[in-house]
Amino acid sequence: MLISAKLAPTFDYPVLDRFWRDADELGFHGVWNYDHFYGLVDPQQPTLEAWTTLAAMATLTTRARVGCLVSSVTYRNPGLLAKMAVTVDHMSGGRLDFGIGAGWHEDEHRGYGIEFPSPGERVEMLDEALAVIRRLWTEDSVTHRGRFFTLQDAIANPKPRQRPHPPIVIGGGKPKMLRVIAKHADEWNMPSSGAADWATTSAALDEACAEVDRDPSQIRRSVQIFLHPQDPGQVDAELAKLTGYAEAGCQHAVLSFYQPPDRELLKRVRAIGSGP
């Protein structure tokens, strides 16, 4: 199982810098952040912007994949997001994993004056946005007139370092979202809710792949595990669940830390995984 490390940009920049460098030096598969404007536990918690910090991660690491788990489709025009992603892909030397989802944090949308459509509409937005983004990454120019987005002879150069494009990682688990994942994703991620629930959703993704005529083996299966380093017992209990996920077919675990881990804890959790 591949092991990646994640820390939200809710800590002082030097703390983030040390975490990214340590995770990279220790050989984690990837280093991740998240895309929110407020702290999730405390809305008043200072929170740095996701893609700006992702660009810093790209330059301060040399081996690990970098990505945002996950960006909300509602926060940025897909043409702009496609350009941002290509920029980070070039800055990292072709190490970007493009994480995206339908969004869920209503208070952030209201606070920033961003439209917050119904869940079904947000999933449809994601489907359309991904079609636009993939075209911008691979075509000379793009004209698109859809339900949510309009582009006219849009040019997006340079193209990504990774060809045909950076791997697309989508988070979600509801039936309508699984169809979008089946169409577009190179990797599917689901927050930890138990190996049995994860396996049931993974099987549902197989069914969604059959509906869109996609080989389900083309989509890597991953889970996000939440760890609280200030509570060693909680960390031990969550790490013990990784065996069950692996047995259920999980190929990649993203360990999301609620407090910055020290280097010794990072060494310990890195040793659980296999592969680069």
Side-chain angles (χ1 to χ4, degrees):
M1 179 185 286
L2 300 173
I3 300 292
S4 293
K6 176 181 174 182
L7 187 65
T10 53
F11 302 96
D12 290 342
Y13 185 81
V15 174
L16 299 173
D17 180 309
R18 185 70 267 160
F19 174 81
W20 303 331
R21 293 178 190 268
D22 282 346
D24 188 54
E25 292 169 5
L26 292 170
F28 280 84
H29 172 73
V31 188
W32 299 80
N33 67 3
Y34 75 21
D35 188 15
H36 288 287
F37 309 136
Y38 296 171
L40 296 189
V41 176
D42 174 10
Q44 298 294 331
Q45 185 177 20
T47 303
L48 299 176
E49 197 278 323
W51 277 88
T52 313
T53 55
L54 196 57
M57 290 165 63
T59 61
L60 293 173
T61 58
T62 61
R63 297 182 295 173
R65 308 289 299 178
V66 297
C68 181
L69 195 64
V70 290
S71 282
S72 173
V73 69
T74 55
Y75 290 157
R76 300 168 190 85
N77 175 278
L80 172 62
L81 187 56
K83 291 287 288 185
M84 293 165 63
V86 167
T87 301
V88 174
D89 195 44
H90 279 258
M91 293 174 71
S92 67
R95 291 181 289 116
L96 174 71
D97 285 346
F98 180 70
I100 192 166
W104 61 271
H105 200 305
E106 184 172 1
D107 286 348
E108 289 182 338
H109 290 76
R110 301 300 182 208
Y112 279 74
I114 300 169
E115 186 177 353
F116 189 66
S118 69
E121 287 179 304
R122 297 199 306 276
V123 173
E124 291 172 7
M125 283 181 68
L126 179 62
D127 188 15
E128 185 177 332
L130 279 166
V132 167
I133 290 168
R134 289 167 70 125
R135 291 186 63 195
L136 287 167
W137 283 343
T138 58
E139 298 180 16
D140 292 336
S141 67
V142 176
T143 295
H144 172 88
R145 294 178 178 83
R147 178 181 175 189
F148 301 101
F149 308 111
T150 299
L151 291 82
Q152 180 65 46
D153 298 324
I155 299 169
N157 291 323
K159 299 306 180 191
R161 283 284 300 269
Q162 299 177 85
R163 298 301 176 91
H165 54 71
I168 296 169
V169 183
I170 306 178
K174 299 296 184 182
K176 194 169 184 178
M177 178 65 90
L178 290 176
R179 285 186 61 86
V180 175
I181 294 167
K183 286 175 61 177
H184 297 287
D186 299 293
E187 180 170 338
W188 159 68
N189 183 272
M190 179 175 171
S192 173
S193 59
D197 187 39
W198 184 94
T200 297
T201 307
S202 183
L205 177 55
D206 290 345
E207 296 173 1
C209 286
E211 293 174 6
V212 299
D213 197 26
R214 176 94 183 273
D215 179 356
S217 69
Q218 294 178 345
I219 303 175
R220 177 188 285 161
R221 311 303 167 99
S222 63
V223 66
Q224 183 173 189
I225 303 285
F226 301 96
L227 302 179
H228 295 263
Q230 67 184 13
D231 183 353
Q234 188 271 346
V235 171
D236 291 343
E238 290 302 307
L239 293 178
K241 298 176 182 178
L242 288 174
T243 299
Y245 282 105
E247 292 173 349
C250 185
Q251 300 160 296
H252 180 201
V254 179
L255 306 180
S256 180
F257 294 93
Y258 269 72
Q259 300 89 36
D262 60 28
R263 190 176 174 94
E264 289 305 310
L265 178 55
L266 282 176
K267 282 183 179 179
R268 176 189 166 201
V269 300
R270 172 64 186 94
I272 295 171
S274 61

